[in-house]
Amino acid sequence: MFWRLTLREIAVILEGEAGRVRRGQNDRAWLAWHVEALARSKKLPKLKDMMHDAPQKRARRQTVEEQIAIAHRWTAAVTKH
């Protein structure tokens, strides 16, 4: 098959392979970092909380009054001279 490919097709294949290798290295680095971080933690999180499909806790929705108060504080902080 190699001899039937153009140089452009070979370059595309090599770029794809290089991307696969980079992703694999990044995945392993991510895993190693998190293993060490968990080893250093005092309290291990529950496994179900770490799983991809774990239900996420929803924060309480802000009221309109809370949003307006935050906007006032932000405006005051930004416009200070």
Side-chain angles (χ1 to χ4, degrees):
M1 183 175 146
F2 174 80
W3 297 110
R4 288 183 272 166
L5 297 175
T6 65
L7 290 178
R8 179 66 185 142
E9 291 170 326
I10 293 170
V12 168
I13 290 170
L14 292 176
E15 287 173 20
E17 183 64 18
R20 185 189 65 77
V21 169
R22 268 192 308 277
R23 281 189 307 278
Q25 173 59 30
N26 288 343
D27 289 347
R28 287 185 297 277
W30 182 92
L31 178 61
W33 189 93
H34 282 85
V35 166
E36 181 58 26
L38 288 171
R40 292 179 185 210
S41 68
K42 293 184 187 250
K43 184 179 178 193
L44 195 62
K46 293 180 181 177
L47 178 60
K48 70 176 184 172
D49 294 339
M50 294 180 62
M51 300 303 285
H52 183 323
D53 295 331
Q56 301 296 316
K57 294 180 183 175
R58 301 253 179 202
R60 180 184 63 82
R61 292 185 64 116
Q62 293 176 341
T63 65
V64 173
E65 293 80 17
E66 290 172 325
Q67 292 178 2
I68 291 171
I70 291 168
H72 285 298
R73 287 195 306 265
W74 181 80
T75 303
V78 172
T79 58
K80 277 188 177 178
H81 294 284

PDB file of all heavy atoms in Angstrom, residues 12-41:
ATOM      1  N   VAL A  12      -0.198  13.021   5.634  1.00  0.00           N
ATOM      2  CA  VAL A  12      -1.427  13.033   6.434  1.00  0.00           C
ATOM      3  C   VAL A  12      -1.437  11.858   7.408  1.00  0.00           C
ATOM      4  O   VAL A  12      -1.802  12.006   8.580  1.00  0.00           O
ATOM      5  CB  VAL A  12      -2.670  13.013   5.513  1.00  0.00           C
ATOM      6  CG1 VAL A  12      -3.936  12.730   6.297  1.00  0.00           C
ATOM      7  CG2 VAL A  12      -2.792  14.324   4.762  1.00  0.00           C
ATOM      8  N   ILE A  13      -1.040  10.694   6.943  1.00  0.00           N
ATOM      9  CA  ILE A  13      -0.992   9.505   7.807  1.00  0.00           C
ATOM     10  C   ILE A  13       0.005   9.724   8.938  1.00  0.00           C
ATOM     11  O   ILE A  13      -0.286   9.427  10.110  1.00  0.00           O
ATOM     12  CB  ILE A  13      -0.643   8.247   6.985  1.00  0.00           C
ATOM     13  CG1 ILE A  13      -1.815   7.889   6.071  1.00  0.00           C
ATOM     14  CG2 ILE A  13      -0.287   7.073   7.896  1.00  0.00           C
ATOM     15  CD1 ILE A  13      -1.501   6.818   5.040  1.00  0.00           C
ATOM     16  N   LEU A  14       1.179  10.262   8.618  1.00  0.00           N
ATOM     17  CA  LEU A  14       2.192  10.502   9.650  1.00  0.00           C
ATOM     18  C   LEU A  14       1.740  11.559  10.658  1.00  0.00           C
ATOM     19  O   LEU A  14       2.006  11.434  11.853  1.00  0.00           O
ATOM     20  CB  LEU A  14       3.520  10.892   9.005  1.00  0.00           C
ATOM     21  CG  LEU A  14       4.219   9.779   8.216  1.00  0.00           C
ATOM     22  CD1 LEU A  14       5.476  10.299   7.544  1.00  0.00           C
ATOM     23  CD2 LEU A  14       4.542   8.596   9.126  1.00  0.00           C
ATOM     24  N   GLU A  15       1.062  12.600  10.182  1.00  0.00           N
ATOM     25  CA  GLU A  15       0.532  13.616  11.101  1.00  0.00           C
ATOM     26  C   GLU A  15      -0.500  13.004  12.044  1.00  0.00           C
ATOM     27  O   GLU A  15      -0.520  13.307  13.242  1.00  0.00           O
ATOM     28  CB  GLU A  15      -0.109  14.766  10.317  1.00  0.00           C
ATOM     29  CG  GLU A  15       0.868  15.673   9.625  1.00  0.00           C
ATOM     30  CD  GLU A  15       0.184  16.693   8.723  1.00  0.00           C
ATOM     31  OE1 GLU A  15      -1.034  16.948   8.933  1.00  0.00           O
ATOM     32  OE2 GLU A  15       0.848  17.219   7.826  1.00  0.00           O
ATOM     33  N   GLY A  16      -1.364  12.167  11.504  1.00  0.00           N
ATOM     34  CA  GLY A  16      -2.354  11.500  12.338  1.00  0.00           C
ATOM     35  C   GLY A  16      -1.718  10.599  13.378  1.00  0.00           C
ATOM     36  O   GLY A  16      -2.133  10.572  14.534  1.00  0.00           O
ATOM     37  N   GLU A  17      -0.688   9.877  12.970  1.00  0.00           N
ATOM     38  CA  GLU A  17       0.019   8.994  13.906  1.00  0.00           C
ATOM     39  C   GLU A  17       0.716   9.811  14.987  1.00  0.00           C
ATOM     40  O   GLU A  17       0.704   9.442  16.164  1.00  0.00           O
ATOM     41  CB  GLU A  17       1.024   8.131  13.145  1.00  0.00           C
ATOM     42  CG  GLU A  17       1.762   7.133  13.989  1.00  0.00           C
ATOM     43  CD  GLU A  17       0.872   6.068  14.602  1.00  0.00           C
ATOM     44  OE1 GLU A  17      -0.255   5.877  14.141  1.00  0.00           O
ATOM     45  OE2 GLU A  17       1.334   5.416  15.564  1.00  0.00           O
ATOM     46  N   ALA A  18       1.326  10.925  14.608  1.00  0.00           N
ATOM     47  CA  ALA A  18       1.988  11.787  15.586  1.00  0.00           C
ATOM     48  C   ALA A  18       0.966  12.327  16.589  1.00  0.00           C
ATOM     49  O   ALA A  18       1.242  12.403  17.792  1.00  0.00           O
ATOM     50  CB  ALA A  18       2.711  12.931  14.890  1.00  0.00           C
ATOM     51  N   GLY A  19      -0.220  12.688  16.118  1.00  0.00           N
ATOM     52  CA  GLY A  19      -1.282  13.140  17.014  1.00  0.00           C
ATOM     53  C   GLY A  19      -1.710  12.055  17.979  1.00  0.00           C
ATOM     54  O   GLY A  19      -1.941  12.310  19.162  1.00  0.00           O
ATOM     55  N   ARG A  20      -1.797  10.826  17.474  1.00  0.00           N
ATOM     56  CA  ARG A  20      -2.166   9.703  18.335  1.00  0.00           C
ATOM     57  C   ARG A  20      -1.121   9.488  19.422  1.00  0.00           C
ATOM     58  O   ARG A  20      -1.452   9.277  20.589  1.00  0.00           O
ATOM     59  CB  ARG A  20      -2.325   8.429  17.512  1.00  0.00           C
ATOM     60  CG  ARG A  20      -2.818   7.232  18.322  1.00  0.00           C
ATOM     61  CD  ARG A  20      -2.760   5.939  17.534  1.00  0.00           C
ATOM     62  NE  ARG A  20      -1.401   5.554  17.193  1.00  0.00           N
ATOM     63  CZ  ARG A  20      -0.528   4.997  18.067  1.00  0.00           C
ATOM     64  NH1 ARG A  20      -0.883   4.787  19.309  1.00  0.00           N
ATOM     65  NH2 ARG A  20       0.676   4.664  17.685  1.00  0.00           N
ATOM     66  N   VAL A  21       0.148   9.589  19.051  1.00  0.00           N
ATOM     67  CA  VAL A  21       1.229   9.412  20.021  1.00  0.00           C
ATOM     68  C   VAL A  21       1.188  10.529  21.075  1.00  0.00           C
ATOM     69  O   VAL A  21       1.343  10.273  22.274  1.00  0.00           O
ATOM     70  CB  VAL A  21       2.594   9.368  19.299  1.00  0.00           C
ATOM     71  CG1 VAL A  21       3.749   9.448  20.285  1.00  0.00           C
ATOM     72  CG2 VAL A  21       2.699   8.105  18.449  1.00  0.00           C
ATOM     73  N   ARG A  22       0.965  11.785  20.631  1.00  0.00           N
ATOM     74  CA  ARG A  22       0.868  12.919  21.569  1.00  0.00           C
ATOM     75  C   ARG A  22      -0.294  12.731  22.539  1.00  0.00           C
ATOM     76  O   ARG A  22      -0.149  12.951  23.742  1.00  0.00           O
ATOM     77  CB  ARG A  22       0.670  14.230  20.813  1.00  0.00           C
ATOM     78  CG  ARG A  22       1.936  14.961  20.489  1.00  0.00           C
ATOM     79  CD  ARG A  22       1.670  16.380  20.006  1.00  0.00           C
ATOM     80  NE  ARG A  22       0.710  16.462  18.917  1.00  0.00           N
ATOM     81  CZ  ARG A  22       1.008  16.288  17.636  1.00  0.00           C
ATOM     82  NH1 ARG A  22       2.241  16.016  17.275  1.00  0.00           N
ATOM     83  NH2 ARG A  22       0.079  16.392  16.712  1.00  0.00           N
ATOM     84  N   ARG A  23      -1.451  12.333  22.024  1.00  0.00           N
ATOM     85  CA  ARG A  23      -2.610  12.106  22.894  1.00  0.00           C
ATOM     86  C   ARG A  23      -2.324  11.003  23.909  1.00  0.00           C
ATOM     87  O   ARG A  23      -2.691  11.114  25.078  1.00  0.00           O
ATOM     88  CB  ARG A  23      -3.847  11.765  22.071  1.00  0.00           C
ATOM     89  CG  ARG A  23      -4.512  12.964  21.443  1.00  0.00           C
ATOM     90  CD  ARG A  23      -5.854  12.611  20.820  1.00  0.00           C
ATOM     91  NE  ARG A  23      -5.786  11.499  19.879  1.00  0.00           N
ATOM     92  CZ  ARG A  23      -5.410  11.609  18.612  1.00  0.00           C
ATOM     93  NH1 ARG A  23      -5.049  12.768  18.125  1.00  0.00           N
ATOM     94  NH2 ARG A  23      -5.397  10.547  17.826  1.00  0.00           N
ATOM     95  N   GLY A  24      -1.676   9.936  23.461  1.00  0.00           N
ATOM     96  CA  GLY A  24      -1.332   8.848  24.375  1.00  0.00           C
ATOM     97  C   GLY A  24      -0.404   9.311  25.483  1.00  0.00           C
ATOM     98  O   GLY A  24      -0.593   8.986  26.657  1.00  0.00           O
ATOM     99  N   GLN A  25       0.609  10.107  25.115  1.00  0.00           N
ATOM    100  CA  GLN A  25       1.543  10.635  26.117  1.00  0.00           C
ATOM    101  C   GLN A  25       0.813  11.565  27.085  1.00  0.00           C
ATOM    102  O   GLN A  25       1.017  11.500  28.292  1.00  0.00           O
ATOM    103  CB  GLN A  25       2.692  11.375  25.439  1.00  0.00           C
ATOM    104  CG  GLN A  25       3.612  12.101  26.400  1.00  0.00           C
ATOM    105  CD  GLN A  25       4.256  11.193  27.428  1.00  0.00           C
ATOM    106  OE1 GLN A  25       4.489  10.019  27.177  1.00  0.00           O
ATOM    107  NE2 GLN A  25       4.539  11.731  28.595  1.00  0.00           N
ATOM    108  N   ASN A  26      -0.042  12.426  26.553  1.00  0.00           N
ATOM    109  CA  ASN A  26      -0.796  13.340  27.417  1.00  0.00           C
ATOM    110  C   ASN A  26      -1.724  12.570  28.356  1.00  0.00           C
ATOM    111  O   ASN A  26      -1.866  12.928  29.530  1.00  0.00           O
ATOM    112  CB  ASN A  26      -1.592  14.344  26.586  1.00  0.00           C
ATOM    113  CG  ASN A  26      -0.710  15.376  25.936  1.00  0.00           C
ATOM    114  OD1 ASN A  26       0.441  15.564  26.312  1.00  0.00           O
ATOM    115  ND2 ASN A  26      -1.244  16.041  24.932  1.00  0.00           N
ATOM    116  N   ASP A  27      -2.346  11.519  27.853  1.00  0.00           N
ATOM    117  CA  ASP A  27      -3.220  10.697  28.691  1.00  0.00           C
ATOM    118  C   ASP A  27      -2.431  10.052  29.827  1.00  0.00           C
ATOM    119  O   ASP A  27      -2.877  10.028  30.976  1.00  0.00           O
ATOM    120  CB  ASP A  27      -3.909   9.612  27.866  1.00  0.00           C
ATOM    121  CG  ASP A  27      -4.974  10.160  26.936  1.00  0.00           C
ATOM    122  OD1 ASP A  27      -5.358  11.345  27.084  1.00  0.00           O
ATOM    123  OD2 ASP A  27      -5.412   9.404  26.042  1.00  0.00           O
ATOM    124  N   ARG A  28      -1.258   9.528  29.513  1.00  0.00           N
ATOM    125  CA  ARG A  28      -0.439   8.898  30.552  1.00  0.00           C
ATOM    126  C   ARG A  28       0.068   9.925  31.556  1.00  0.00           C
ATOM    127  O   ARG A  28       0.091   9.659  32.767  1.00  0.00           O
ATOM    128  CB  ARG A  28       0.719   8.133  29.918  1.00  0.00           C
ATOM    129  CG  ARG A  28       0.265   6.846  29.229  1.00  0.00           C
ATOM    130  CD  ARG A  28       1.437   6.037  28.712  1.00  0.00           C
ATOM    131  NE  ARG A  28       2.191   6.738  27.687  1.00  0.00           N
ATOM    132  CZ  ARG A  28       1.869   6.770  26.396  1.00  0.00           C
ATOM    133  NH1 ARG A  28       0.789   6.148  25.968  1.00  0.00           N
ATOM    134  NH2 ARG A  28       2.629   7.421  25.531  1.00  0.00           N
ATOM    135  N   ALA A  29       0.442  11.116  31.101  1.00  0.00           N
ATOM    136  CA  ALA A  29       0.897  12.167  32.015  1.00  0.00           C
ATOM    137  C   ALA A  29      -0.250  12.603  32.923  1.00  0.00           C
ATOM    138  O   ALA A  29      -0.068  12.803  34.129  1.00  0.00           O
ATOM    139  CB  ALA A  29       1.446  13.357  31.226  1.00  0.00           C
ATOM    140  N   TRP A  30      -1.459  12.743  32.363  1.00  0.00           N
ATOM    141  CA  TRP A  30      -2.631  13.111  33.145  1.00  0.00           C
ATOM    142  C   TRP A  30      -2.892  12.066  34.220  1.00  0.00           C
ATOM    143  O   TRP A  30      -3.143  12.392  35.382  1.00  0.00           O
ATOM    144  CB  TRP A  30      -3.835  13.246  32.212  1.00  0.00           C
ATOM    145  CG  TRP A  30      -5.095  13.675  32.873  1.00  0.00           C
ATOM    146  CD1 TRP A  30      -5.552  14.943  33.021  1.00  0.00           C
ATOM    147  CD2 TRP A  30      -6.072  12.822  33.486  1.00  0.00           C
ATOM    148  NE1 TRP A  30      -6.754  14.936  33.682  1.00  0.00           N
ATOM    149  CE2 TRP A  30      -7.093  13.639  33.980  1.00  0.00           C
ATOM    150  CE3 TRP A  30      -6.169  11.448  33.654  1.00  0.00           C
ATOM    151  CZ2 TRP A  30      -8.207  13.134  34.638  1.00  0.00           C
ATOM    152  CZ3 TRP A  30      -7.278  10.949  34.310  1.00  0.00           C
ATOM    153  CH2 TRP A  30      -8.275  11.783  34.793  1.00  0.00           C
ATOM    154  N   LEU A  31      -2.821  10.796  33.823  1.00  0.00           N
ATOM    155  CA  LEU A  31      -3.071   9.715  34.761  1.00  0.00           C
ATOM    156  C   LEU A  31      -2.028   9.712  35.880  1.00  0.00           C
ATOM    157  O   LEU A  31      -2.370   9.617  37.066  1.00  0.00           O
ATOM    158  CB  LEU A  31      -3.071   8.366  34.035  1.00  0.00           C
ATOM    159  CG  LEU A  31      -3.273   7.129  34.906  1.00  0.00           C
ATOM    160  CD1 LEU A  31      -4.624   7.178  35.601  1.00  0.00           C
ATOM    161  CD2 LEU A  31      -3.138   5.877  34.058  1.00  0.00           C
ATOM    162  N   ALA A  32      -0.751   9.843  35.531  1.00  0.00           N
ATOM    163  CA  ALA A  32       0.311   9.839  36.539  1.00  0.00           C
ATOM    164  C   ALA A  32       0.141  11.008  37.511  1.00  0.00           C
ATOM    165  O   ALA A  32       0.309  10.853  38.728  1.00  0.00           O
ATOM    166  CB  ALA A  32       1.677   9.906  35.858  1.00  0.00           C
ATOM    167  N   TRP A  33      -0.193  12.184  36.979  1.00  0.00           N
ATOM    168  CA  TRP A  33      -0.369  13.358  37.835  1.00  0.00           C
ATOM    169  C   TRP A  33      -1.502  13.128  38.826  1.00  0.00           C
ATOM    170  O   TRP A  33      -1.370  13.409  40.016  1.00  0.00           O
ATOM    171  CB  TRP A  33      -0.659  14.592  36.974  1.00  0.00           C
ATOM    172  CG  TRP A  33      -0.633  15.856  37.762  1.00  0.00           C
ATOM    173  CD1 TRP A  33       0.425  16.689  37.940  1.00  0.00           C
ATOM    174  CD2 TRP A  33      -1.728  16.436  38.495  1.00  0.00           C
ATOM    175  NE1 TRP A  33       0.059  17.746  38.729  1.00  0.00           N
ATOM    176  CE2 TRP A  33      -1.263  17.618  39.086  1.00  0.00           C
ATOM    177  CE3 TRP A  33      -3.055  16.068  38.689  1.00  0.00           C
ATOM    178  CZ2 TRP A  33      -2.061  18.433  39.865  1.00  0.00           C
ATOM    179  CZ3 TRP A  33      -3.860  16.883  39.476  1.00  0.00           C
ATOM    180  CH2 TRP A  33      -3.360  18.045  40.053  1.00  0.00           C
ATOM    181  N   HIS A  34      -2.625  12.589  38.340  1.00  0.00           N
ATOM    182  CA  HIS A  34      -3.765  12.378  39.220  1.00  0.00           C
ATOM    183  C   HIS A  34      -3.530  11.249  40.221  1.00  0.00           C
ATOM    184  O   HIS A  34      -4.011  11.317  41.356  1.00  0.00           O
ATOM    185  CB  HIS A  34      -5.040  12.134  38.400  1.00  0.00           C
ATOM    186  CG  HIS A  34      -5.607  13.402  37.864  1.00  0.00           C
ATOM    187  ND1 HIS A  34      -5.175  13.956  36.683  1.00  0.00           N
ATOM    188  CD2 HIS A  34      -6.528  14.250  38.368  1.00  0.00           C
ATOM    189  CE1 HIS A  34      -5.827  15.072  36.485  1.00  0.00           C
ATOM    190  NE2 HIS A  34      -6.651  15.277  37.485  1.00  0.00           N
ATOM    191  N   VAL A  35      -2.798  10.223  39.837  1.00  0.00           N
ATOM    192  CA  VAL A  35      -2.467   9.156  40.786  1.00  0.00           C
ATOM    193  C   VAL A  35      -1.661   9.742  41.937  1.00  0.00           C
ATOM    194  O   VAL A  35      -1.943   9.472  43.111  1.00  0.00           O
ATOM    195  CB  VAL A  35      -1.702   8.010  40.081  1.00  0.00           C
ATOM    196  CG1 VAL A  35      -1.056   7.089  41.090  1.00  0.00           C
ATOM    197  CG2 VAL A  35      -2.644   7.233  39.179  1.00  0.00           C
ATOM    198  N   GLU A  36      -0.670  10.558  41.617  1.00  0.00           N
ATOM    199  CA  GLU A  36       0.155  11.166  42.663  1.00  0.00           C
ATOM    200  C   GLU A  36      -0.660  12.150  43.498  1.00  0.00           C
ATOM    201  O   GLU A  36      -0.520  12.213  44.717  1.00  0.00           O
ATOM    202  CB  GLU A  36       1.373  11.861  42.064  1.00  0.00           C
ATOM    203  CG  GLU A  36       2.284  12.480  43.096  1.00  0.00           C
ATOM    204  CD  GLU A  36       2.827  11.500  44.122  1.00  0.00           C
ATOM    205  OE1 GLU A  36       2.931  10.302  43.812  1.00  0.00           O
ATOM    206  OE2 GLU A  36       3.156  11.941  45.239  1.00  0.00           O
ATOM    207  N   ALA A  37      -1.522  12.929  42.855  1.00  0.00           N
ATOM    208  CA  ALA A  37      -2.356  13.878  43.600  1.00  0.00           C
ATOM    209  C   ALA A  37      -3.273  13.139  44.573  1.00  0.00           C
ATOM    210  O   ALA A  37      -3.451  13.565  45.719  1.00  0.00           O
ATOM    211  CB  ALA A  37      -3.168  14.733  42.637  1.00  0.00           C
ATOM    212  N   LEU A  38      -3.844  12.031  44.127  1.00  0.00           N
ATOM    213  CA  LEU A  38      -4.708  11.249  45.018  1.00  0.00           C
ATOM    214  C   LEU A  38      -3.896  10.608  46.139  1.00  0.00           C
ATOM    215  O   LEU A  38      -4.376  10.508  47.269  1.00  0.00           O
ATOM    216  CB  LEU A  38      -5.460  10.181  44.226  1.00  0.00           C
ATOM    217  CG  LEU A  38      -6.581  10.707  43.329  1.00  0.00           C
ATOM    218  CD1 LEU A  38      -7.108   9.592  42.436  1.00  0.00           C
ATOM    219  CD2 LEU A  38      -7.702  11.313  44.150  1.00  0.00           C
ATOM    220  N   ALA A  39      -2.678  10.191  45.844  1.00  0.00           N
ATOM    221  CA  ALA A  39      -1.832   9.596  46.879  1.00  0.00           C
ATOM    222  C   ALA A  39      -1.498  10.612  47.963  1.00  0.00           C
ATOM    223  O   ALA A  39      -1.332  10.252  49.131  1.00  0.00           O
ATOM    224  CB  ALA A  39      -0.554   9.040  46.250  1.00  0.00           C
ATOM    225  N   ARG A  40      -1.408  11.878  47.594  1.00  0.00           N
ATOM    226  CA  ARG A  40      -1.071  12.926  48.557  1.00  0.00           C
ATOM    227  C   ARG A  40      -2.285  13.449  49.313  1.00  0.00           C
ATOM    228  O   ARG A  40      -2.129  14.141  50.315  1.00  0.00           O
ATOM    229  CB  ARG A  40      -0.400  14.097  47.843  1.00  0.00           C
ATOM    230  CG  ARG A  40       0.958  13.755  47.299  1.00  0.00           C
ATOM    231  CD  ARG A  40       1.559  14.933  46.590  1.00  0.00           C
ATOM    232  NE  ARG A  40       2.816  14.564  45.973  1.00  0.00           N
ATOM    233  CZ  ARG A  40       3.803  15.395  45.787  1.00  0.00           C
ATOM    234  NH1 ARG A  40       3.689  16.660  46.145  1.00  0.00           N
ATOM    235  NH2 ARG A  40       4.911  14.993  45.220  1.00  0.00           N
ATOM    236  N   SER A  41      -3.481  13.153  48.851  1.00  0.00           N
ATOM    237  CA  SER A  41      -4.669  13.697  49.508  1.00  0.00           C
ATOM    238  C   SER A  41      -4.934  12.961  50.807  1.00  0.00           C
ATOM    239  O   SER A  41      -4.664  11.769  50.940  1.00  0.00           O
ATOM    240  CB  SER A  41      -5.875  13.612  48.585  1.00  0.00           C
ATOM    241  OG  SER A  41      -6.244  12.273  48.380  1.00  0.00           O
TER     242      SER A  41
END
